Structure formats: structure tokens, C-alpha cells
């Protein structure tokens, strides 16, 4: 297997390796594994956890990256009693920005990140999880409870607010003249929206700490500078090499482009991101007016109902990874 790393990385250029074993059958690889790393989108958690459950041994370290989308609640639901026999930790951000160029044979790596934050359950296993993550990927810091990772401001702070800025006046059937670069055409209006929603999320984290739950919910712009290095402005953060070349989730139609509301920027970052934030906010009693505005706008285009009268009580909450979907409706249930 081969990976070509862009020149600004270390290592850079072509890196080759040979796996000891490759199999689509969990029974072949899971039983003897001490550490399992799962770089997965949130919607894939259920199937993968169900497949490996019969083969997990006690004391296995189960790492998910980036660990958004309520991984802890999903793992408890799927693994049942097995969940208490393994150690789960989430790694933020995902180590690699990359694209498959030849499936199973070659990948192009745009960015290999070197700074990480890790949330762990149970908390007493944090030191060992940090040691493992540092050996695998690079410098790592603890952010306490695994819930921190569910609330961390990454894609669900970036993507929905950027798209709301671009499409808030869009009406079904409109044809757009171009498909802009998602990050390289970033503007102040977009980063201002991210800032407002992120501050609402930070207020949720502060309330959780006040209630005795050890979470760390930073500002997106501070976290991205920790990962990628300092920037003079929020817009400038998105002009680094890691974000080059990505277009908006638009599809080509006759005469131009239209938004693809089935793209993961909607189908993942709304129900498995913003709805999760909103669900926790409702439990701890923190108002989120800008978050609500974006959710109501998005759900309208997606044909869903998540937020009704400022609360996460819509008919489609069962499709989200908000705590309410798992029967968690109290502060005690979040611990």
C-alpha cells in the first residue's frame, strides 16, 4: 500500500507499507487487537460496532476519530455490557486530510496533523489513551470526558453556518451560476456566523462544568490554530493547505448548479452535529437562538423536522444522535 504526502508534511513524498493482515471479516483481525482505530463518519458507527462486538476482548482500547456524533451513546447502545469492558477514546481532529486515488492501493495525503485532543471513557484510563494516541499520531492533550468530543466545535460549526451564509435566500428550483470553493472563498460573514453558534456551544459547555461534568468546549478558531498554526484572522485560518481544492456541496444542473441537500454536509452535520448540540443545550437550559435559526433553515430544505418552537422535539429527532434519541433527558444521564 502506498501514500503520497504533500511536500509540507513530515514525512513527505511517497511512503510504502505492507499490512500484516487485511480482511473484511472482523473475526480475522479483532480478537487479537489491543488497540482498534476507527476513522469513521458518524453514520457508520452502528454497523461497525455491531460487527466487531462479538470479537472484542476485555481491556481493548477503542479509538474513534474524529469522534463526533455522540459516539459514546451509540457505543453504549450497540455494545451493551461489552461497553464497560473496553476503553473508548476519541481523537480530534482526524489525523489525515486525504483522498483515495486507487482503492486499497494508494492515497494522496494533503495534510498529516501533529497536534491532538483526546476524550476518554472511563476517565481513569485517560493517561494510557494519551500515551497510545501520542505514539500513533503525535502530541496529545486530554479534554476530559468523552462528551467533550461530541460537543467539540469542528464540522458542525463550520459546514452548516458556511452553507447558511451562502444559501439562506435560496428557494427550491433556483439555479446558481457557480460552485465556489468552500474554504478558499471564505468570508467574514461566514466566520461571524460560526463565531455566534460556537459561543452558544461554549455556553453549553460552561453550564455542564457548573453542573459537575468535566468537559472542554473551546472556540473553533482557537482549536484550528492549535492544529494548523497561528492566523491573523478567522478567514485566514481556512486558507491553509489543508483546505485547498474543496468545492461546495452543489450538483451540476442545466444552466448552473443547485445545492445537494443529500450531501453529508447536511445529512451528517445537521442531525449528528447541530442537533446533538441543541439536544444537550435543551437539557441544561441554555438558549441557542442562532443555532435554532440554522437548524430551522436546514430542516426545511431537507424535508425534516427537528426543532419546533425553539426545542428539539420534532418528529425526526429519532434520526439524530442527540441525547434525547437515546433516552437521555437529564443532566444525570449525561454524566
Amino acid at each position: 500500500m502506498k501514500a503520497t504526502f504533500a511536500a509540507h508534511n513530515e514525512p513527505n513524498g511517497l511512503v510504502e507499507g505492507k499490512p500484516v493482515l487485511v480482511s473484511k471479516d472482523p473475526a480475522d483481525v479483532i480478537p487479537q487487537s489491543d488497540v482498534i482505530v476507527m476513522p469513521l463518519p458518524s453514520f457508520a458507527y452502528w454497523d461497525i460496532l455491531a460487527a466487531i462486538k462479538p470479537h472484542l476482548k476485555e481491556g481493548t482500547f477503542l479509538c474513534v476519530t474524529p469522534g463526533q456524533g455522540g459516539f459514546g451513546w451509540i457505543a453504549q447502545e450497540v455494545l451493551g455490557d461489552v461497553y464497560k469492558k473496553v476503553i473508548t477514546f476519541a481523537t480530534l481532529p482526524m489525523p489525515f486530510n486525504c483522498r483515495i486515488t486507487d482503492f486499497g492501493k494508494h492515497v494522496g495525503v494533503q495534510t498529516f496533523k501533529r497536534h491532538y485532543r483526546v476524550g476518554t471513557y472511563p476517565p481513569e484510563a485517560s493517561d494510557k489513551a494519551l500515551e497510545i494516541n501520542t505514539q500513533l499520531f503525535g502530541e496529545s492533550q486530554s479534554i476530559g470526558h468523552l462528551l467533550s468530543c461530541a460537543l467539540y466545535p469542528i464540522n458542525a460549526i463550520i459546514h452548516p453556518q458556511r452553507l447558511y451564509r451562502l444559501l439562506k435566500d435560496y428557494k427550491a428550483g433556483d439555479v446558481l451560476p457557480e460552485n465556489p470553493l468552500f474554504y478558499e472563498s471564505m468570508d467574514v460573514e461566514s466566520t461571524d456566523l460560526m463565531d455566534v453558534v460556537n459561543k452558544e456551544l461554549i455556553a453549553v459547555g460552561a453550564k455542564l462544568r457548573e453542573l459537575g461534568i468535566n468537559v472542554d468546549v473551546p472556540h473553533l478558531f482557537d482549536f484550528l490554530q492549535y492544529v494548523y498554526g497561528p492566523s491573523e484572522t478567522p478567514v485566514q485560518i481556512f486558507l491553509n493547505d489543508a483546505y485547498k481544492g474543496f468545492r461546495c456541496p452543489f450538483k451540476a444542473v442545466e444552466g448552473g448548479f443547485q445545492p445537494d441537500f443529500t450531501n453529508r454536509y447536511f445529512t451528517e452535520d445537521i442531525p449528528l452535529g447541530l442537533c446533538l448540540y441543541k439536544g444537550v443545550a435543551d437539557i441544561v437550559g441554555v438558549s441557542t437562538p442562532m443555532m435554532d435559526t440554522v437548524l430551522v433553515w436546514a430542516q426545511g430544505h431537507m424535508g425534516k423536522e427537528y426543532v419546533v418552537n425553539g426545542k428539539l422535539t420534532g418528529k425526526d429527532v429519532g434520526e439524530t444522535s442527540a441525547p434525547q434519541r437515546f433516552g437521555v433527558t437529564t443532566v444525570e444521564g449525561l454524566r
Side-chain angles (χ1 to χ4, degrees), residues 13 27 29 35 37 106 131 137 145 166 171 182 190 210 214 221 232 244 274 287 311 314 333 335:
V29 296
V35 179
V37 179
H106 183 269
E131 179 185 338
F137 303 122
H145 198 291
L166 294 172
K171 297 179 180 61
F182 191 87
S190 297
E210 181 183 316
N214 179 27
F221 303 144
E232 293 183 5
K244 285 186 175 178
L274 280 188
S287 64
K311 297 294 182 183
R335 295 188 188 279

Side-chain angles (χ1 to χ4, degrees), residues 109-125:
V109 180
Q110 178 65 22
T111 298
F112 177 23
K113 298 141 195 171
R114 305 316 297 256
H115 304 282
Y116 303 92
R117 289 179 176 162
V118 177
T120 310
Y121 184 86
E124 55 266 26

Side-chain angles (χ1 to χ4, degrees), residues 272-323:
L272 309 182
L274 280 188
C275 285
L276 187 156
Y277 300 163
K278 175 62 178 174
V280 177
D282 282 356
I283 290 173
V284 299
V286 172
S287 64
T288 55
M290 190 68 240
M291 194 181 300
D292 296 356
T293 297
V294 176
L295 279 169
V296 169
W297 164 80
Q299 70 185 21
H301 288 293
M302 296 168 67
K304 300 293 182 180
E305 182 186 82
Y306 304 123
V307 173
V308 178
N309 297 324
K311 297 294 182 183
L312 193 76
T313 56
K315 64 180 178 63
D316 296 312
V317 170
E319 300 175 5
T320 75
S321 60

